[in-house]
Amino acid sequence: MKPVEIITQEAAIRASSGQTLRIDTLVRENDDVPQGAPVACLRDAPDVKFVAPMAGRIARIKLQPGRKLTEIVIFREEGEVVRHDISNAAEKMGLRRLMQNSGIWPLLRRRPFGGMPTPDETPAAILVMALDTRPYAPDPRQALQGREAAFERGLLALSLLCDGEIFVCQASGPTLLQRASGRGKIRAVECTDRHPHGSAGLCSHGLAPATIETPVWDIHAEDVAALGDLVMTGILPMKQLVQIDGEGLKESRLVRTQPGADLRELTLRAAAHGAHALMSGSPLDGHEAHWLAPRHRQVTVLPRGSNSASPHWFTAALTRSSLPKPVIPTAALRQAFGVALPAVALVRALSSGDDELAMKLGALSLLEEDLGLADYVLGGEAHLAVLLRRMLDRVQTEFAP
């Protein structure tokens, strides 16, 4: 399927689902901003900027108490594009400053705990995700077509930030590495193209397990190509390949659009008749949203079911046990953890709050999205993603420096 370009009239800068960002705004409502201009920065790390995904006017700034970011909405207008100073991009500290000022730093994600790395963190390894096995996900290889040189430059740039190896996780087929050497630190790794083997958490568990002392970063391959363009031209590209799919559509769409795009406009005249849910992300780990979430490359449209009446509380009490249902070992459950992780033992450790055992079993390499298939296999009643987040928060509070 050939992608079509759709730049929505509105876009928003927002935090990832479940993430809290305390920011200081650098603009006011009704200000005109060029594409790539900083509109906010982290309150505790002001060098890390969030930038406008397109030229336009600041339509709305919405913050929660404590300067917590809800959304910064931009209305599209004609304007200029910011060009960054790349004179020191070949040096480690200069590259860090460039990435933080240009807005690409928030696209990095660390493990354990999630979120972006701290400005001075050095990872033990970096995973470049050049495959995505989630339902309806677009093929990252298609996003790299015609951008092979930029991808190689981005890999070489990442090698300046990492003391360990950089793993390019890809599906079987021709290697994505052509000339990039990165002083021998960069290597391609073939992964099974069945979900969840293409999830960053399982790749990290098998290649470079994350620990409190040895964090691991991951980044989408298309963002690496964007980094390659940035260090060459000083301009950060603001278009990404997004698949729009789901049972609530008349037809699927493959589009190139800006970060934070308006999901309603992306699905205009493509959604089927009737009530439907617009989700940013996959049907396994996505969430209903108005805007395309950071790092998401897919939009899922699902029909809404009829709202049947809830059973009386007494009937529900009689038919549902007050104790959690036992976890039954099945082949489907093992496959949901990619066979690499001890599925039943890990589920039980998370359910019982045994943080030390969960850490020993590899939970520090995982984030909520990595357990989407396992939650689905267990009927959505185990709430593993919620349990994992609680465990990670407790471990971060008690053990992280």
Side-chain angles (χ1 to χ4, degrees), residues 95-109:
L95 178 63
R96 281 182 180 266
R97 285 193 296 269
L98 174 62
M99 293 177 67
Q100 291 165 13
N101 287 327
S102 66
I104 202 171
W105 191 263
L107 300 180
L108 293 166
R109 184 172 55 181

Side-chain angles (χ1 to χ4, degrees), residues 13-72:
I13 299 167
R14 46 158 291 194
S16 299
S17 178
Q19 184 182 23
T20 299
L21 294 176
R22 297 180 184 273
I23 66 164
D24 286 323
T25 54
L26 304 176
V27 293
R28 293 177 295 181
E29 292 184 356
N30 294 317
D31 282 356
D32 293 324
V33 292
Q35 176 182 309
V39 298
C41 64
L42 286 180
R43 168 157 276 196
D44 296 332
D47 288 338
V48 178
K49 306 292 197 307
F50 299 91
V51 301
M54 60 185 180
R57 174 173 51 84
I58 303 297
R60 183 169 67 255
I61 299 175
K62 189 175 180 181
L63 304 177
Q64 298 177 20
R67 308 294 296 179
K68 297 177 184 177
L69 175 63
T70 298
E71 61 183 21
I72 299 176

Side-chain angles (χ1 to χ4, degrees), residues 106-177:
L107 300 180
L108 293 166
R109 184 172 55 181
R110 75 183 306 274
R111 296 163 189 269
F113 312 131
M116 74 185 80
T118 58
D120 57 351
E121 182 176 274
T122 299
I126 298 178
L127 305 179
V128 176
M129 302 309 299
L131 83 163
D132 193 338
T133 54
R134 287 172 288 195
Y136 306 138
D139 184 0
R141 283 179 179 269
Q142 188 170 0
L144 297 178
Q145 289 179 0
R147 306 182 67 188
E148 292 80 6
F151 181 63
E152 292 176 9
R153 287 194 300 270
L155 290 174
L156 292 174
L158 287 178
S159 69
L160 297 175
L161 305 179
C162 180
D163 291 337
E165 288 188 282
I166 296 176
F167 300 97
V168 180
C169 302
Q170 65 170 78
S172 58
T175 179
L176 291 172
L177 301 183

Side-chain angles (χ1 to χ4, degrees), residues 84-99 153 156-158 160-161 227-228 230-234:
H84 298 273
D85 179 14
I86 57 174
S87 57
N88 296 317
E91 303 172 3
K92 181 177 181 179
M93 294 308 299
L95 178 63
R96 281 182 180 266
R97 285 193 296 269
L98 174 62
M99 293 177 67
R153 287 194 300 270
L156 292 174
L158 287 178
L160 297 175
L161 305 179
L227 174 61
L230 174 66
V231 299
M232 173 62 70
T233 66

